[in-house]
Amino acid sequence: MRVRLSEAEFAALTTFAEEAALPTSEVLRRLAREAGGFGPTFEGEVARRLKTTVVQLRKAGVNLNQIARALNSGRAPGYEQLRGGVERLARLVVQHERDLDELRARARVRSRRLVGADV
């Protein structure tokens, strides 16, 4: 891919890349991802939070599979126990959806700030 920049744009890009300790190609890739709506490249604490979320959702999936197996085999847990588990799962999914919406919103704000346009 080729990109044409003015001297001022190129200077701003290289300065930004140096301050971020990233190659200019990585800066351009990240800007393109955010401007295209793909979201940011996750690092640090955000990456750790996302990994934790994935682990929690995987565990919830395992629990759902166990519930389905029990129901399909005729072994049904007590209604209140089942209802409580489903409610906890629903709260977990809603919270993770909010977290992801927040991350996407931050990415859009960052891309608007960095690109300087309405994205």
Side-chain angles (χ1 to χ4, degrees):
M1 176 188 310
R2 294 180 188 262
V3 177
R4 293 180 189 207
L5 301 172
S6 69
E7 286 184 30
E9 291 168 334
F10 183 72
L13 175 65
T14 55
T15 298
F16 180 85
E18 288 169 4
E19 290 172 358
L22 294 169
T24 54
S25 60
E26 178 65 13
V27 171
L28 288 172
R29 187 183 76 76
R30 290 181 184 194
L31 285 170
R33 282 184 52 79
E34 290 188 26
F38 293 106
T41 302
F42 298 113
E43 298 176 328
E45 181 58 29
V46 173
R48 283 187 287 282
R49 281 180 52 200
L50 284 174
K51 286 179 185 175
T52 299
T53 297
V54 168
V55 168
Q56 290 174 347
L57 289 173
R58 188 174 294 125
K59 288 178 181 179
V62 167
N63 288 340
L64 281 175
N65 285 336
Q66 290 172 347
I67 290 168
R69 246 184 263 119
L71 292 173
N72 288 333
S73 70
R75 296 184 339 255
Y79 175 76
E80 288 304 318
Q81 181 184 7
L82 181 60
R83 180 177 169 191
V86 171
E87 287 173 350
R88 285 190 303 276
L89 176 61
R91 284 193 301 271
L92 177 69
V93 169
V94 167
Q95 183 58 51
H96 290 313
E97 183 179 20
R98 287 181 188 146
D99 290 346
L100 290 173
D101 285 344
E102 179 186 338
L103 290 171
R104 283 191 297 265
R106 285 187 204 170
R108 283 190 298 274
V109 168
R110 239 186 352 261
S111 69
R112 286 183 184 121
R113 180 178 51 82
L114 294 173
V115 176
D118 288 330
V119 177

